[in-house]
Amino acid sequence: MRHAFRWQFTIFFIGIILLYIFGVCLFSNAGYADVDQPAYPEGLSFTQAEKDWLAQHRKIRVAGPRNFPPFYFYEDGPAPKGVAADIMRAVAGTLGLEVEVIPDIPWPRVLEMAKNREVDWIPCAAVSEPRKAFWSFTDPFMSFPLLIITTSDTGFIGGIHDLNGKKLSGVKDIAWRDWLAKDGIAYEWIPAATPLDSLRMVSEGKADATIENLATSVYNIDRYGLSNLKAAAPTAYEAYNLHFAVRNDWPELQSILNKALHALPTEQKNEIKGKWLSLRYEHGIRLQDVLIWGAGAGASLFLIMGLILAWNRRLGREIALREATERDLHTSLSILHETLEQAPMAIEILKKADGRIQLIIENQESQKIKDVLCREGGDDGFALEDCFELEFRDIASSEPISFSMLPAQRAFAGETVENERIMAIGRDRRQVPLEVSAAPVYGNKGEIEAVFSAFSDISLRLQLEEDQRQSQKMEAIGTLAGGIAHDFNNILSIMIGNAELAAADAPAWSPTYAKLIEIKSAGMRARNLVRRLLSFSRNTPLSKRPVLLSSIVSESVGLLQATLAANIEIRCTGLENKGIILADATQLHQVLINLCTNAAHAMEEGGGILDISVKSVELNDDDAARSLNLEAGSYIRLEVADTGIGMSKETADRIFDPYFTTKELGKGTGLGLSVVHGIVRSCSGAIEVDTAPNQGTRISILFPASDQAVPEPEPAPALPEGGTERVLMVDDEPQIIEMNTLMLEKFGYQVTSFTDSREAFKRFLESPGDFDLIITDMAMPNLSGDILAQKARTVRPDIPIIICTGFSEKIKKLRELDLGAVTYLRKPISMNELAAEVKKSLQKAA
């Protein structure tokens, strides 16, 4: 009977709460603008005429209102902003159209250009009869009610007929003026440049009212603090619809844009709307309604609070009774049991009775380890006999250990075992390495009454030992990297420099210019990678900054799509994730490229799917410590999965070893995943591999989440000034000499270059006053750059010198020589860096 009452009381209580929540949700949503859109089909299908038209018109001229927020306006640059601007870009991207925006034009001028066919597409327009003479309109992509806006102290206005004789403000040629004229409304016209200006006219008393759509009025009132304005009444007109307007002599474009609008995913449209619109429209609230609903809500709240207090009182009595029972149970525990529970290792006390081993005492750590080993599948429990069926092996030799040779069995025979390492293999074949000690417990008569056994999971200890061995291998790789990085710097100098020179000669609109900039960008990224290798060889800490991981994935996928085989499909999820980690961006690119390249190699014969995902996860203490040896908390998980050939367990256990590779000679060095492993560990992360033969491979990386903000990108440096000074250039690489000479000559400098440092010094001795600056490489045969600098200074102590080198440690040693006014540059050097340093050195010497 008591249980039945309890359930009835609970159901009644839940029903009251659900009823209250339903009422709150129902009335809290009232008054919001309806921005839902119908579901559109995903595919696009064009007629042959439309396809031909698209092929002939790849570039479309676009113009819109100068200041019509939040739909279309300009702010901080020539690119339009707002809902209509974003939807325009989405549609143009879907159709592959190149959009030429004619920016920041007054609305009357836009209308005039549309009549003259100087504008092809207006992304934000309302329909009116005069406009139909030269425009065609698509279906509306957004709809809002039109409101009459007045000041708070304006008398009653119930509709458009109350506007007779009023001063109305608005933008020239706005559509609602045609509608008012059609309805015979007489008013005094106060023109305004923008919708914001018309609202300000009303706010300042220069006009009695204006007519504006809900979104624009709320946006401007909130943003610009026009708090004395109100929505006096809705208009009698239909909702304010926003359309694309196009030239009426291009019916194909109207049809194409209609199809593209309907094919635009609903999620994408809602995302655009949510970015710019957060709207609520309130017609006004009566005090009587407030009192009625307030009284109802108060009564409901009072009832609910009373029920909660009664329920808590009842629960409190039950909890008090339960706590008293638990205290009695805890009091009955022995001091020995308390001591065992606090031990950091698993402890058991065993005894033999009737030829069988019985478990007398064990602590929680013992139960935890045996729970992993002895339970199989969905079993809810296990007996001690289940643990006797486990398989045990010697860790060092992997040889099986018989049951009679286990430490506890040997202790029953009188032997004391200390710190013996064995591998326990569970019923589900999971392996747990253990360090075991066991000793016999003797009775008063000298007989063995029991066995004390202590053991611990040493997975973490073995991992640390493996990490130490890994660290020694990586140190050897660092020495190799430092030896070859200098040669890469010279090659990169030639690539970056020539790309800059070619880009300087190409027009900015040319596709060749864009490709040259991509080559330069890739070269600069390679430069950063070489510098990371040099830092790695000296084991110096890298600079970590807040990085948006999903952004790195997007950039890397852009590079991969152009390089992977056509039969490999790339799928990305979670790119909207805003999780931030502390890492080096260049290293993260390296991680993505290495993992995806390996995945592509595993699918190169039959193709497949490369799945990349980013997701925020929370790890509890058990998950973090058991599988990844991490701390509990927030993490960002990066997963790279393929449908390739997979790997055996033996191969998977070695993929992070330096120089280990399954590829053919010449297709891999075995360093890629080793470097990935090092980068992940340096970020305090962890990496897991899930693979099986013919089942594909999934690599999961967990990076600790950071609450720091991603820094704003630094502005591009201004182009350095040139000059007419005379420069002596010395480098033993002819290509670098030629490239640097062309660079400096573009800035107006007079350059005399030598590939032989002895010949260069000889020329300097002949006439030291012929030169205003010396630029020399460091590593040169016969006469190195630092010796050349010292000799030149003995002849002319005031001449500025720039020494170029690929090794930062060489710069440190050169500074210790105190050669005077010497500047040091690290290779590879971009054109702007070189020109800026030349100008700076010459100014210092002046």
Side-chain angles (χ1 to χ4, degrees), residues 31-35 71 142-149 176 179 211-218 231 233-242 279-283:
Y32 283 87
D34 182 11
V35 295
F71 301 116
M142 186 164 291
S143 176
F144 287 96
L146 276 175
L147 308 176
I148 301 173
I149 307 297
W176 55 261
W179 302 338
I211 298 177
E212 192 53 82
N213 72 80
L214 173 63
T216 300
S217 58
V218 171
T235 65
Y237 305 124
E238 64 181 45
Y240 184 79
N241 296 322
L242 287 180
L279 309 177
R280 191 167 82 179
Y281 170 49
E282 299 179 358
H283 291 278

Side-chain angles (χ1 to χ4, degrees), residues 468-487:
Q468 185 176 5
R469 290 191 293 269
Q470 186 83 351
S471 178
Q472 293 171 350
K473 295 177 183 178
M474 298 304 287
E475 186 177 351
I477 298 174
T479 303
L480 174 63
I484 64 175
H486 176 69
D487 293 332

